[in-house]
Amino acid sequence: MTARVSSKVSLVSGAATGIGQSIAARLAKEGSSVVVGDIDESKAQEVVEEINKKGGKARFVHLDVTNEDMWREVIALVETDLGQLDILVNNAGITIVETVDKMLLSDWRAVMAVNVDGVFLGTKCAVPAMKRAGGGSIINISSILGLTGLEKLSAYCASKGAVRLFTKAVALECGRDGSGIRVNSIHPGYIHTAMMEDTCKRDYDGDIPKGLAELGKLHPMGRVGQPDEIAAGVVYLASEESKFVTGSELVIDGGYTAV
Ligand code: NAD
């Protein structure tokens, strides 16, 4: 079988852990050179080592997605060192749990800075590079909570809803300008990562297995998802297999939003 993204260069934000780590590993396994961007250097370096040990091609860049200068520098570095940028996965995301009446404006802004500004800045800086490369694929990790609401997560839901429609607007720009850049969003259900273990600890008295089981029941398939089930969707949207797909929202949620 031929690798599905061979000779492509990918940049994945928030790739030191969880879904981003799995995306980086999967893209590398499918033949892409992967740039692992994160603010957590030590964990990101471990991800890079693991990929390279398995025969993949990966390197680390320090990337705070809220910082426009850093995005410019990282993308310039990718072009200089690796020739071009073909695939950008805007994955970094954070959540703050609070009812709206108690939520501080600073917390609201922190969520928006990473989840919305980060996706905007990454896309803004990647589009010119992808134009120079003759096309590309931008994949924005939204959430089921960009499609439906949940109490105590108003900032997160607002941010992920913004990512969904931002994606479609940019897909139209890039579809009509003939640049060959496709832009799509992915909407995971609950996925077993550190972010989700924090949710379990908070809501189920520290009992992670119980939390996973209870959260699993929210999905008609009866379980939470695994990071590699999201990475599989990313590879599809990154590869030529999806060459007619843009502005779409790929829901990977065990049926959560089908109810
Ligand atoms: P995670 O908390 O396990 O990992 C997030 C990563 O982003 C970490 O490596 C962290 O260091 C990095 N990060 C945080 N702020 C950053 C910044 N300013 N710049 C660069 N990197 C930064 O999260 P996860 O569960 O793997 O989630 C990944 C994405 O998937 C997020 O966008 C999240 O909203 C989304 N998502 C997660 C779930 C879930 O159940 N886990 C469900 C739907 C959507």
Side-chain angles (χ1 to χ4, degrees), residues 13-21 23 37-41 43-44 62-67 71 90-95 113-115 119 141-145 156 159-160 186-199 224-225 227 230:
S13 73
T17 55
I19 294 173
Q21 173 181 1
I23 291 168
D38 209 291
I39 47 175
D40 186 336
E41 175 160 2
K43 282 198 184 141
H62 183 83
L63 173 63
D64 177 346
V65 296
T66 66
N67 183 322
W71 271 112
N90 283 311
N91 165 77
I94 60 167
T95 183
V114 178
N115 297 8
V119 173
I141 306 300
S142 175
S143 171
I144 47 172
L145 299 181
Y156 185 77
S159 73
K160 293 300 185 177
I186 292 188
H187 300 260
Y190 286 79
I191 306 298
H192 188 177
T193 65
M195 184 187 264
M196 228 194 87
E197 292 201 352
D198 289 344
T199 305
V224 300
I230 305 307

Side-chain angles (χ1 to χ4, degrees), residues 119-194:
V119 173
F120 157 65
L121 292 172
T123 303
K124 174 183 156 88
C125 296
V127 162
M130 288 184 177
K131 284 184 175 167
R132 286 189 284 277
S137 176
I138 299 174
I139 299 153
N140 296 327
I141 306 300
S142 175
S143 171
I144 47 172
L145 299 181
L147 303 168
T148 182
L150 193 63
E151 62 270 22
K152 295 191 182 171
L153 283 171
S154 56
Y156 185 77
C157 291
S159 73
K160 293 300 185 177
V163 168
R164 172 177 172 265
L165 284 182
F166 171 76
T167 299
K168 291 183 195 298
V170 180
L172 294 178
E173 289 177 22
C174 293
R176 295 208 164 106
D177 69 7
S179 61
I181 302 169
R182 299 181 296 103
V183 195
N184 294 285
S185 57
I186 292 188
H187 300 260
Y190 286 79
I191 306 298
H192 188 177
T193 65

